[in-house]
Amino acid sequence: MSDAEQPKNRRILVIDDNEAIHQDFRKILAGQAATSSLRELKAALLGAEPAQAEPIRYEIDAALQGQEGCQKVRAAVARGSPYGVAFVDMRMPPGWDGLETIEQIWREDPDVQVVICTAYSDYSWDDVVARFGQSDRLLLLKKPFDNAEVCQLACALTEKWYLARQARLQLQELEEMVQTRTAELQVSNRQLQDQIAERRSAEERLRHDAFHDALTGLPNRALFMDRLTHCTERRLRQPDRQFAVLFLDLDNFKVINDGLGHAAGDELLVKVAARLSASVRAVDSLARIGDDLTARLGGDEFVILLDDLQRPNDAVLVAERVQKHLSPPFSIGGHDIVISSSIGIALGGQPGKSADELLRDADTAMYRAKSAGKAQHALFDEAMHAAAMGRLKLENDLRRAIEQQHFVLEYQPILALDTRALRGFEALLRWRHAERGLIAPGEFIPVSEETGLIVPLGHWVLQEVCRQITGWNACRPSGRDLSVSVNISKRQMADPGFIDQVRAVLRESGADGGNLKFEITESVIMENPKSIIAILHQLQGLKIESHMDDFGTGQSSLGYLQEFPFDVLKIDRAFVQCMARSRKHAAIIQAIVNLAHNLNMKVVAEGIETDEQLAQLQALDCDYGQGFLLSPPLSADAASALLTALAEPCSTR
């Protein structure tokens, strides 16, 4: 156990020719270290100790004469348990007096703190100073002394001795370490120099890695933002100096990454970075402030800083040059990959805009370019920012609306076109916004898809539909023939717990899966055909029919119709609305109907708005239809009233 780990026991030597004095010291110091007053004093002098710290305990030794006291000091040093404080009486006849005793004690142990115990008639402090000079190891205690004085001196001086001893030991350890290290340096100086060089190289690598992308070697976001901040600050000093930020995103990179694997995706990113570097004004300008800088922000997003532009339109020219350089195919793993990019441009000409705001503006413009059809570039304007803020507010409102259930369902009847008999409903989601009123699904459904909010929203829809089906069928004799169709998004289908969620809703609501129809668009099917097939088969096991929605608008292969267990094809309204004025559209609908019937599938046409459309669909042998001509979407109460009018009583609950 090191000295620092030893319990804080403190040894005190009392040198006095009166044994009664010895006993007095023992009584005074025994058990006094833990008293509250002494603790307060110690805290004031030395700082508070931790609550769990052990109290100091004193070990009291005594000697009647100076010679005996010196012998005890010598023996204590030899044992490694020296005294911290010595209380020395000034007059101890015969033999040494107090001053001579102190001299001898300090020869044996110069660290001992000494308290001279003297009566008023004995030596004064001037006599002591004249003998020893000013010393921080020496104090004078006049007799008769107060008990508290003894406790205070014992506490303070032993702690002072302990701290000085610890400091000395630590200093010795440091000196030994320095000596050892110096010896090592002298023996292996060349090896140490190699280590220093290697360490410097490692530090350089760390600094480089901290500010560069590990995959492409391009500067990362941190370094790019530093460069961009420099440009914005310099703009305040040089208003005429122009710069721009280009935010670039690779179009459909996820398809390549998923199709060929992440290794191929990484290889593509490296080659894209090389072409981007060649698109700026100098290949070796990536690390220098003031020249063009290309950085990879993560994933398939890159950003280019164009500094010291002659005119703002130069940024557009660079964007066009970048897109041209990226247009030739990339050879990746034996495949020729053609990829395009969407680029947003933000000019740094407006004073007061921060680096973060400029990057945000370029990002916003990039999304505008992507929404315009990809492989485009767009220049940022403030209207884009306003639109982005509006979308952010819509997203926040949507989250609150889901939490507070500010949604309602309407039900559009689906009729048999030959008999006009009601065959079911399609559940249509409506958002009644507290400030804006009714918000069209085309505005909030894409946002819910992008943010993943469609998953909890779709769960709520499923619960409401199943609850409504149960209520209707409870009082409707032919309820088994009535069905409700629900639109299912790709985010819902991709959720690993989707099937379990459907089972739970059916079980909790008591609804029959045979009364539930799921409408799935072609785009969802093409996202991951194999997993969709497995999900559709599981839905079959729950007696839930699967309908392919918006058929003819996507890119699905007709061969998929043989593999996917669909029960119904739903013709998109675009074909129905153009049917009357275009023979081609009528022929397409006829082909869809024939194809579906040959595959034992039914056909639903949506968007029927005129008698002419209805007559044509009936002539083409289309099975079912829906649209404003047949019936607009109805509230739950209105749908119940419709069932009542058909002599089939029901309630909405």
Side-chain angles (χ1 to χ4, degrees):
M1 184 182 293
S2 68
D3 189 81
E5 296 171 332
Q6 294 285 347
K8 285 191 175 183
N9 294 350
R10 301 292 182 261
R11 306 194 67 221
I12 295 176
L13 177 62
V14 179
I15 305 176
D16 196 294
D17 59 350
N18 186 345
E19 291 186 0
I21 297 297
H22 300 171
Q23 295 302 323
D24 289 343
F25 270 96
R26 289 190 174 93
K27 290 178 181 178
I28 293 170
L29 297 178
Q32 295 301 310
T35 62
S36 59
S37 60
L38 195 55
R39 283 179 177 173
E40 292 173 0
L41 174 63
K42 185 179 177 184
L45 291 173
L46 306 170
E49 289 186 326
Q52 67 273 21
E54 294 185 6
I56 296 175
R57 295 179 176 83
Y58 300 112
E59 297 179 10
I60 312 299
D61 278 352
L64 294 172
Q65 300 295 338
Q67 293 89 334
E68 181 186 0
C70 287
Q71 291 173 359
K72 287 182 177 289
V73 171
R74 186 184 308 116
V77 172
R79 290 194 306 269
S81 56
Y83 297 106
V85 180
F87 288 87
V88 181
D89 186 29
M90 285 300 294
R91 295 189 179 277
M92 292 179 291
W96 301 338
D97 64 4
L99 298 181
E100 188 172 359
T101 298
I102 293 169
E103 285 181 339
Q104 296 300 325
I105 287 175
W106 278 346
R107 288 194 181 99
E108 302 294 342
D109 186 355
D111 294 330
V112 176
Q113 304 291 314
V114 175
V115 178
I116 299 175
C117 302
T118 177
Y120 288 104
S121 59
D122 291 336
Y123 297 107
S124 67
W125 180 250
D126 292 336
D127 298 327
V128 175
V129 172
R131 181 73 171 265
F132 298 106
Q134 295 288 349
S135 174
D136 62 352
R137 296 171 297 165
L138 192 61
L139 289 175
L140 189 66
L141 180 62
K142 291 288 189 177
K143 295 181 180 179
F145 42 77
D146 185 82
N147 292 357
E149 290 182 294
V150 174
C151 291
Q152 292 170 4
L153 288 172
C155 176
L157 293 180
T158 54
E159 188 69 15
K160 175 186 174 185
W161 170 86
Y162 175 78
L163 294 175
R165 178 180 177 83
Q166 293 303 107
R168 186 175 64 257
L169 291 175
Q170 292 174 3
L171 182 59
Q172 290 174 353
E173 291 177 0
L174 289 174
E175 290 175 348
E176 291 173 358
M177 290 173 59
V178 171
Q179 292 175 358
T180 301
R181 188 60 178 158
T182 301
E184 291 175 355
L185 288 172
Q186 292 173 347
V187 172
S188 57
N189 184 60
R190 179 174 296 177
Q191 179 181 0
L192 184 58
Q193 291 301 323
D194 292 343
Q195 292 175 355
I196 293 174
E198 183 178 350
R199 181 177 299 176
R200 287 175 178 170
S201 177
E203 290 174 352
E204 289 295 329
R205 289 196 302 271
L206 287 174
R207 279 194 291 269
H208 180 275
D209 293 345
F211 294 103
H212 289 79
D213 173 51
L215 179 64
T216 64
L218 293 177
N220 61 13
R221 179 185 290 270
L223 182 55
F224 176 80
M225 294 306 292
D226 178 74
R227 301 293 190 267
L228 183 54
T229 300
H230 177 86
C231 287
T232 58
E233 293 174 348
R234 187 186 56 211
R235 172 77 181 177
L236 299 176
R237 303 188 302 270
Q238 303 176 24
D240 294 334
R241 187 152 182 170
Q242 302 182 42
F243 63 95
V245 177
L246 274 59
F247 199 109
L248 181 149
D249 182 84
L250 302 182
D251 298 326
N252 300 319
F253 176 75
K254 185 177 185 301
V255 176
I256 298 170
N257 215 23
D258 293 343
L260 299 180
H262 291 285
D266 286 348
E267 183 181 353
L268 176 61
L269 290 174
V270 171
K271 291 185 176 181
V272 166
R275 289 195 189 177
L276 287 177
S277 299
S279 300
V280 296
R281 283 174 288 182
V283 175
D284 60 346
S285 66
L286 299 180
R288 290 203 294 270
I289 298 176
D291 289 330
D292 292 350
L293 178 67
T294 303
R296 180 183 176 217
L297 295 187
D300 58 334
E301 295 177 343
F302 296 82
V303 64
I304 302 174
L305 173 61
L306 303 176
D307 191 21
D308 197 16
L309 296 175
Q310 296 300 315
R311 52 190 177 276
N313 192 54
D314 288 347
V316 176
L317 298 177
V318 172
E320 293 173 348
R321 184 168 73 243
V322 166
Q323 290 177 320
K324 181 179 179 181
H325 282 200
L326 293 180
S327 61
F330 292 86
S331 179
I332 306 294
H335 301 273
D336 285 341
I337 305 298
V338 177
I339 195 165
S340 61
S341 64
S342 299
I343 302 177
I345 306 169
L347 299 176
Q350 294 185 359
K353 277 208 170 185
S354 67
D356 287 329
E357 290 172 329
L358 284 170
L359 187 62
R360 178 207 63 197
D361 292 347
D363 188 18
T364 300
M366 183 273 293
Y367 276 103
R368 175 62 61 88
K370 191 174 287 289
S371 64
K374 303 180 181 180
Q376 307 282 331
H377 58 268
L379 188 63
F380 175 81
D381 58 46
E382 291 302 327
M384 292 183 185
H385 178 60
M389 294 303 294
R391 188 209 180 274
L392 180 61
K393 185 178 186 308
L394 181 66
E395 179 182 337
N396 293 333
D397 290 349
L398 183 59
R399 292 181 186 276
R400 286 194 295 271
I402 293 174
E403 293 173 358
Q404 300 170 10
Q405 297 185 357
H406 288 169
F407 293 89
V408 294
L409 290 178
E410 292 184 347
Y411 298 88
Q412 185 168 39
I414 300 175
L415 306 182
L417 295 186
D418 54 352
T419 65
R420 295 289 189 98
L422 178 66
R423 286 292 176 260
F425 297 95
E426 180 182 358
L428 302 174
L429 184 63
R430 301 290 185 255
W431 178 11
R432 300 193 183 279
H433 194 280
E435 299 172 359
R436 298 175 54 188
L438 192 65
I439 297 180
E443 182 177 355
F444 70 85
I445 290 297
V447 175
S448 64
E449 284 273 8
E450 293 174 15
T451 59
L453 294 174
I454 193 66
V455 174
L457 188 55
H459 184 217
W460 178 84
V461 170
L462 190 58
Q463 288 178 314
E464 283 295 297
V465 167
C466 288
R467 182 190 59 77
Q468 188 66 71
I469 289 174
T470 303
W472 281 335
N473 288 342
C475 58
R476 185 169 180 270
S478 58
R480 291 182 178 275
D481 297 328
L482 180 66
S483 65
V484 178
S485 300
V486 178
N487 291 281
I488 303 298
S489 74
K490 63 180 179 180
R491 293 293 288 266
Q492 289 176 272
M493 297 286 281
D495 188 350
F498 175 65
I499 294 297
D500 291 336
Q501 185 183 93
V502 173
R503 287 196 186 99
V505 171
L506 291 175
R507 183 176 60 254
E508 293 166 3
S509 65
D512 189 333
N515 297 124
L516 199 60
K517 320 297 181 187
F518 282 174
E519 296 189 4
I520 305 163
T521 63
E522 286 188 73
S523 61
V524 174
I525 298 166
M526 295 300 295
E527 190 80 21
N528 194 341
K530 291 184 179 180
S531 67
I532 295 298
I533 288 177
I535 292 173
L536 295 183
H537 281 298
Q538 289 178 289
L539 293 176
Q540 273 188 329
L542 298 174
K543 300 189 296 183
I544 298 174
E545 287 189 4
S546 299
H547 297 188
M548 180 182 282
D549 195 12
D550 300 336
F551 184 75
T553 61
Q555 301 175 355
S556 62
S557 168
L558 293 178
Y560 279 142
L561 293 179
Q562 300 180 28
E563 301 178 34
F564 286 88
F566 282 108
D567 301 283
V568 172
L569 293 184
K570 197 165 187 179
I571 302 174
D572 185 76
R573 68 177 59 248
F575 291 102
V576 175
Q577 292 173 354
C578 296
M579 182 174 53
R581 62 177 182 271
S582 171
R583 287 186 176 182
K584 290 183 179 180
H585 283 82
I588 291 173
I589 292 178
Q590 180 68 76
I592 293 173
V593 171
N594 293 338
L595 175 66
H597 288 169
N598 288 332
L599 294 174
N600 295 319
M601 300 166 64
K602 299 294 183 180
V603 179
V604 176
E606 61 180 354
I608 303 174
E609 298 179 357
T610 67
D611 291 326
E612 185 179 4
Q613 293 170 354
L614 176 60
Q616 284 184 291
L617 290 169
Q618 289 172 329
L620 294 174
D621 200 21
C622 183
D623 301 291
Y624 306 110
Q626 66 185 98
F628 276 81
L629 177 68
L630 303 176
S631 173
L634 306 174
S635 67
D637 290 338
S640 299
L642 175 63
L643 294 174
T644 301
L646 296 174
E648 297 176 351
C650 75
S651 68
T652 61
R653 294 288 180 263

